[in-house]
Amino acid sequence: MTQLTPMLPGPEPMSLRGSPRRRRKERSVHVVLLSAALISILISVGIVYSLVGNAIDFLQKIDLSQLWTTGYFPRRGLFDLKTLFIGSLLITGVALVVAGPIGLGAAIYLSEYASPRMRRICKPILEVLAGIPSVVIGFFALTWIAPNIVQRIFSQSGTFSLAAAGIGVGILIIPIIASVAEDAMRAVPLALREASYGLGARKITTSVRVVLPAAVSGIVAAFILGISRAIGETLVVALAAGGSGGSVFTTDITGPGQTVTAAIASLSFGSDQPAGDDAAFQSLYFLGIILFIFTLLLNLAGDVFVRRTRQHY
Amino acid sequence: MAAAAPPANPASITTLAVERSLASRKRDWLGQVFQVVLLLSLILSLAIIVFLLSNVLGGAWRVWTDRGTDFLTEGGSRQAEAAGVWQGIRGTLTLVGFVVLLAFPIGIASAIYLEEYAPDNTLTKFINVNIRNLTGVPSVVYGLLGLAVFVRTFGLDRNDEGGLTGGKSVISAGLTLAVLVLPIVIITSAEAIRAVPRSIREAGYGVGASRWEVTRMLVLPSAAPGILTGTVLAISRAMGEAAPILLIGANTGFFSSGNQSFVEQLQGTFTALPAVIFGWARETSEFRDVTAAAIFVLLVITVLANGTAVWLRNRFEKQW
């Protein structure tokens, strides 16, 4: 065998690895960054651990029949879950009635009809709406929506009502629904619209019969994320639905009521928290874990739908 | 050649119909109505903001003309005409300090790890999914986490008082808010880092830089404007959150702070603007105007933070 290439003098393979000091530094940077990334897992573990531990304590302290009574009055040992669930459901329903059509309408307009200039102006304003703290919307719901909208429609309604809180929560989720749905519709390829116009379809036909069906998973995702946010919303309900202290079972949206989040709020805000190992206090964590699981499932479902739109096109 | 002329078909019924329909000026009434309805829903959602702001502005203006800067420098009070937001402003700024010192370094470091270092394995995927889910957790649940971990586990010693964080204190609230915004910081920073083109990194490796050198000298400076925008979003989120700090035990009423040392203040009673707003919103209607004024102060601080971020981003942003 003949040697094809002469051996050239060059750096030994080992010397290309750099100085040991530099490699040590690289490795320590890697470890530091990895441990920073692991903190986020620690947070999830912390949430689950602190909620589950206390929730189990709570369930052991009470009789399970206390979870199904005539109302939610934690200080008297009545932890009726259906009062809270129906409350959350009613709030979410009202919020969707308000935010669903408005958010979706705004999304269709921004995606299909608006000029680029108009979109450039409107989208940041919608982002401002998304950035308004919920306590501000709560104040607005209590002082303006309740007297000027709810009491005009339902004259028997008082200062506090589930309807006013629901409308407030609806205002909060308009930007979420609008922006996620708009993203989904803009992801629909132009070719589909052009094909539709080529067949002689009108703009409304193209928007409703072509673009909307093509973007349907994204729109479903928009609603799911909106619902998840509505269920988790605390301050608006705590201020405007007026369930501090407790609430009897109610399905009347014109009256006061209580949701899962507002129940946590009314028990724990301010200086009148119940004492440390009280069952009433630990019921907070039980409600917290229910809320956590619900929103987690909704968010996972929303994620699946968002990803489905992305995969399509 | 003579055969170039197209075959002269006699005008069929179809062509006539198409011609007529193209020439006619029939308007699409249904389409017009649809468009107007859509436009109305967009205008409605924008009008809500304008209306809300003008409402707040009205109340704030009345307080301003009555009391001037007095409102900004006074502490809490049971009387509406004497109540001020100074304690709230100070609390909010202290909380933001915690977020800046804790959530930003950890969040940006996590983002660097996920974008530049992480191998494509199960652990990385798990971290990513986990962070996405954390952003969707309701803030009141973070409040419960803070209550269980920072207020009770680290806050109470064996005699049920005065542990590391001082129980219901600024420290507990600051840590909770830092935890709450951490996922937002990570996601926005990771997006900014991802937007830096590959060629920049390859140029760095080509001249023999190590991974950390490429990250520190090339990637981070290029991604800085985007990271900055994300961090400011996180700050304004932290400033507006009321539920977690109320769960931690933020004071919604009046409290006095005498001559305390810095550490004592951090471990002591506290409040912040959202908690002040919540407390006043539940008071009698005499508090309407001061509540609006407090909301105005909170919004001004938020807008200032956002405006600074937009300005800085425009100044340093690069087009690739």
Side-chain angles (χ1 to χ4, degrees):
Chain A
M1 294 279 274
T2 51
Q3 204 168 347
L4 291 175
T5 48
M7 283 293 276
L8 292 172
E12 292 284 309
M14 280 306 286
S15 75
L16 283 173
R17 299 178 63 184
S19 71
R21 227 188 93 229
R22 200 158 158 226
R23 273 174 37 225
R24 259 205 308 280
K25 189 177 169 197
E26 281 297 308
R27 208 171 310 133
S28 49
V29 166
H30 191 125
V31 170
V32 168
L33 294 179
L34 173 62
S35 36
L38 290 177
I39 286 181
S40 60
I41 293 186
L42 196 69
I43 293 173
S44 294
V45 173
I47 291 178
V48 173
Y49 179 79
S50 57
L51 292 184
V52 168
N54 285 298
I56 289 175
D57 271 2
F58 165 72
L59 287 180
Q60 281 168 347
K61 239 171 239 171
I62 60 152
D63 189 50
L64 282 185
S65 66
Q66 282 173 274
L67 294 176
W68 202 265
T69 54
T70 49
Y72 182 82
F73 295 96
R75 280 165 219 264
R76 284 195 261 141
L78 303 173
F79 306 98
D80 184 34
L81 288 181
K82 67 178 183 296
T83 305
L84 303 182
F85 285 163
I86 295 294
S88 285
L89 213 64
L90 290 174
I91 292 276
T92 310
V94 175
L96 275 187
V97 167
V98 172
I102 295 180
L104 192 58
I108 298 177
Y109 190 86
L110 282 176
S111 151
E112 302 301 310
Y113 288 86
S115 63
R117 210 187 117 188
M118 182 158 187
R119 196 178 302 134
R120 240 192 351 264
I121 299 171
C122 289
K123 284 207 82 172
I125 304 185
L126 272 182
E127 276 165 31
V128 170
L129 183 57
I132 292 179
S134 59
V135 65
V136 176
I137 305 279
F139 174 68
F140 184 62
L142 177 66
T143 58
W144 198 87
I145 297 176
N148 292 321
I149 296 181
V150 177
Q151 290 180 3
R152 290 243 171 103
I153 303 175
F154 310 105
S155 49
Q156 79 275 25
S157 173
T159 321
F160 301 110
S161 68
L162 284 172
I167 295 173
V169 174
I171 291 176
L172 268 180
I173 64 175
I174 286 175
I176 298 174
I177 293 186
S179 79
V180 178
E182 197 228 338
D183 284 347
M185 280 186 274
R186 278 166 64 80
V188 173
L190 217 56
L192 287 187
R193 297 187 183 88
E194 280 160 1
S196 166
Y197 292 137
L199 290 172
R202 291 172 299 174
K203 185 130 196 163
I204 175 174
T205 319
T206 309
S207 305
V208 176
R209 306 272 300 269
V210 176
V211 178
L212 273 187
V216 75
S217 351
I219 293 167
V220 172
F223 277 87
I224 292 178
L225 294 178
I227 292 172
S228 156
R229 178 75 203 272
I231 289 181
E233 178 45 49
T234 310
L235 259 298
V236 176
V237 187
L239 278 173
S244 58
S247 165
V248 288
F249 180 78
T250 174
T251 53
D252 174 22
I253 59 167
T254 61
Q258 186 90 313
T259 65
V260 178
T261 50
I264 297 177
S266 70
L267 253 183
S268 58
F269 283 0
S271 47
D272 55 342
Q273 286 185 359
D277 292 325
D278 202 25
F281 182 72
Q282 283 180 322
S283 72
L284 287 183
Y285 297 103
F286 179 65
L287 296 177
I289 192 88
I290 292 175
L291 189 63
F292 179 72
I293 292 171
F294 254 88
T295 49
L296 182 70
L297 290 179
L298 282 172
N299 290 332
L300 286 177
D303 243 31
V304 168
F305 278 104
V306 167
R307 217 168 306 134
R308 196 178 287 174
T309 347
R310 274 195 213 129
Q311 274 166 1
H312 261 291
Y313 305 112
Chain B
M1 288 291 288
N9 271 358
S12 68
I13 298 172
T14 324
T15 13
L16 276 179
V18 169
E19 258 169 22
R20 199 179 311 133
S21 116
L22 283 178
S24 78
R25 294 189 170 256
K26 201 178 118 201
R27 304 197 65 170
D28 176 16
W29 289 112
L30 186 63
Q32 299 270 317
V33 170
F34 184 63
Q35 183 171 354
V36 169
V37 169
L38 293 181
L39 185 59
L40 278 181
S41 59
L42 179 65
I43 290 175
L44 185 60
S45 40
L46 302 184
I48 291 171
I49 304 173
V50 175
F51 184 74
L52 213 155
L53 291 184
S54 64
N55 233 359
V56 166
L57 211 61
W61 179 251
R62 282 192 291 279
V63 172
W64 170 258
T65 47
D66 276 7
R67 309 193 16 206
T69 54
D70 192 38
F71 178 71
L72 294 176
T73 52
E74 286 297 314
S77 169
R78 296 201 194 288
Q79 268 81 47
E81 54 276 11
V85 285
W86 172 240
Q87 289 170 329
I89 294 177
R90 210 181 59 185
T92 292
L93 293 182
T94 318
L95 294 178
V96 167
F98 272 91
V99 169
V100 171
L101 289 180
L102 287 171
F104 287 5
I106 297 175
I108 296 172
S110 311
I112 295 173
Y113 177 78
L114 290 173
E115 289 304 312
E116 301 290 317
Y117 282 79
D120 187 18
N121 61 15
T122 326
L123 175 68
T124 310
K125 273 192 206 114
F126 180 68
I127 295 179
N128 272 318
V129 169
N130 180 47
I131 290 171
R132 262 212 309 282
N133 288 332
L134 280 179
T135 54
V137 173
S139 56
V140 67
V141 173
Y142 282 103
L144 288 173
L145 168 78
L147 188 59
V149 175
F150 300 130
V151 175
R152 310 199 72 210
T153 309
F154 290 115
L156 307 173
D157 57 15
R158 287 212 192 96
N159 309 321
D160 259 22
E161 52 188 313
L164 206 58
T165 60
K168 301 173 180 179
S169 65
V170 189
I171 301 181
S172 302
L175 290 171
T176 308
L177 284 185
V179 166
L180 184 137
V181 300
L182 185 66
I184 306 173
V185 176
I186 297 177
I187 286 184
T188 47
S189 308
E191 265 166 23
I193 292 173
R194 209 176 304 139
V196 177
R198 269 196 82 75
S199 53
I200 303 274
R201 298 184 179 89
E202 277 157 8
Y205 292 128
V207 295
S210 69
R211 195 177 280 259
W212 174 237
E213 284 160 354
V214 167
T215 307
R216 185 167 53 91
M217 297 176 183
L218 298 173
V219 177
L220 282 185
S222 315
I227 294 179
L228 190 82
T229 318
T231 49
V232 171
L233 275 181
I235 286 188
S236 46
R237 171 87 194 270
M239 287 196 294
E241 278 299 345
I245 56 167
L246 287 168
L247 271 173
I248 299 301
N251 209 306
T252 53
F254 168 77
F255 71 98
S256 65
S257 54
N259 296 322
Q260 293 170 310
S261 75
F262 183 61
V263 176
E264 277 170 352
Q265 278 185 14
L266 285 185
Q267 290 184 338
T269 334
F270 76 105
T271 190
L273 279 175
V276 171
I277 295 169
F278 178 78
W280 288 352
R282 292 204 299 184
E283 293 282 343
T284 51
S285 54
E286 289 160 31
F287 272 84
R288 286 285 157 82
D289 283 351
V290 283
T291 314
I295 289 174
F296 182 70
V297 172
L298 177 63
L299 292 181
V300 165
I301 297 179
T302 319
V303 167
L304 277 183
N306 280 324
T308 320
V310 171
W311 180 71
L312 283 173
R313 184 186 57 191
N314 291 344
R315 206 164 150 206
F316 294 111
E317 195 164 42
K318 284 181 192 165
Q319 289 292 324
W320 300 108

